[in-house]
């Protein structure tokens, strides 16, 4: 089955740029979605189809996807961005199964 | 504004069947433009997709759970349900229902708040 690899943790100072990666075999050929999850809350979609933002998500959140790595970029990081972030794809090779990355804890220093 | 709400027992005994329902409000589950999924998250761990159903009744399941999972839909009640049989402590988790627009590679755009299910005697 398809595997998505995320770093367990990323730390960034307020006002700086955070980059969270999601690695997978030829992930550039798939559509990648990103979710933000704060403690005790359900995940919230922040990026879909690699780089689109749902309504209400700040422009500070952006995404890219190429080769074997997709990246979620958060510019001008704020304390409120501290959360777990998950990437997700469809594994079209196996009856459209859904695959999540293991998640990355973003810490705002 | 579409909302999803999970409901069901918070405690299930080992070897029994876990049953949860997701009620859709603010829109019709029969709109035909969405899949309806179940996703779970053990405490302190990541997200695991369980499976999805379309309003036609067609389903897809996570291969690792397929032998124990049944997802069904009741369009008259605007609900879909999850049954997970022969549960063990490893099935203890927060269970979420979520909406997924149809089309290749859709994202989960709306989630329920989640419901905690503990498997214990």
């Amino acid at each position: 089955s398809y595997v998505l690899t995320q770093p367990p943790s990323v730390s960034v100072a307020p006002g700086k740029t955070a980059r969270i990666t999601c690695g997978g075999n030829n992930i550039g050929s798939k559509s990648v979605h990103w979710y933000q999850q704060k403690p005790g809350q359900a995940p919230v979609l922040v990026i879909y189809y690699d780089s689109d933002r749902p309504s209400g998500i700040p422009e500070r959140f952006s995404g890219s996807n190429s080769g074997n790595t997709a990246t979620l970029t958060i510019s001008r990081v704020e304390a409120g961005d501290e959360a777990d972030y998950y990437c997700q794809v469809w594994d079209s090779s196996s009856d459209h199964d859904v695959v999540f990355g293991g998640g990355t804890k973003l810490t705002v220093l | 504004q579409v909302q999803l709400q999970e409901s069901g027992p918070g405690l299930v005994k080992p070897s029994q069947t876990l049953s949860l329902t997701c009620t859709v409000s603010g829109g019709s589950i029969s709109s035909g433009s969405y899949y309806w999924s179940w996703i779970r998250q053990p405490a302190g761990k990541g997200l695991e997709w369980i499976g999805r159903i379309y309003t036609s009744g067609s389903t897809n399941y996570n291969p690792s759970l397929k032998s124990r999972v049944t997802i069904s839909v009741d369009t008259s009640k605007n609900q879909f349900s999850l049954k997970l049989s022969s549960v063990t402590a490893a099935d203890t988790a927060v269970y979420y229902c979520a909406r997924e627009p149809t089309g290749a590679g859709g994202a989960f755009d709306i989630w329920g708040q989640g419901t905690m299910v503990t498997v214990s005697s």
Side-chain angles (χ1 to χ4, degrees):
Chain A
S1 62
Y2 194 76
V3 176
L4 295 175
T5 301
Q6 296 183 239
S9 63
V10 169
S11 298
V12 62
K16 300 299 185 182
T17 298
R19 294 179 179 85
I20 299 172
T21 59
C22 177
N25 185 34
N26 197 26
I27 195 173
S29 67
K30 303 180 184 296
S31 293
V32 179
H33 317 299
W34 291 92
Y35 303 88
Q36 176 193 68
Q37 186 180 34
K38 296 182 178 179
Q41 298 183 17
V44 172
L45 180 67
V46 294
I47 292 289
Y48 64 102
Y49 290 126
D50 297 341
S51 58
D52 290 339
R53 268 189 324 275
S55 173
I57 301 301
E59 292 184 5
R60 301 185 297 104
F61 288 80
S62 62
S64 62
N65 184 20
S66 179
N68 292 318
T69 305
T71 303
L72 172 68
T73 301
I74 309 172
S75 304
R76 302 180 299 284
V77 167
E78 303 173 356
D81 298 330
E82 186 163 288
D84 293 326
Y85 291 84
Y86 294 90
C87 57
Q88 176 243 315
V89 302
W90 268 28
D91 179 12
S92 56
S93 65
S94 57
D95 200 17
H96 301 304
D97 290 345
V98 171
V99 180
F100 288 99
T104 298
K105 169 67 176 177
L106 176 67
T107 299
V108 181
L109 301 171
Chain B
Q1 179 77 353
V2 174
Q3 294 182 318
L4 306 182
Q5 178 67 59
E6 305 88 350
S7 60
L11 181 63
V12 181
K13 288 181 167 50
S15 80
Q16 295 191 342
T17 296
L18 178 160
S19 296
L20 296 175
T21 296
C22 182
T23 300
V24 180
S25 59
S28 173
I29 199 171
S30 303
S31 73
S33 301
Y34 303 101
Y35 297 114
W36 305 92
S37 278
W38 288 96
I39 296 159
R40 70 180 183 180
Q41 184 174 36
K45 296 188 178 181
L47 301 166
E48 180 180 35
W49 178 72
I50 299 170
R52 69 163 68 86
I53 191 163
Y54 190 58
T55 49
S56 64
S58 65
T59 55
N60 299 108
Y61 298 132
N62 185 324
S64 69
L65 299 169
K66 190 172 184 176
S67 63
R68 299 194 291 130
V69 172
T70 302
I71 297 176
S72 59
V73 63
D74 186 336
T75 55
S76 67
K77 295 182 179 179
N78 229 30
Q79 296 175 334
F80 63 107
S81 298
L82 168 69
K83 290 188 184 301
L84 181 65
S85 64
S86 305
V87 297
T88 68
D91 296 309
T92 294
V94 175
Y95 284 75
Y96 297 99
C97 56
R99 187 182 80 168
E100 178 188 358
T102 58
F108 298 105
D109 63 348
I110 297 177
W111 296 62
Q113 66 183 26
T115 187
M116 179 68 201
V117 177
T118 301
V119 178
S120 175
S121 56

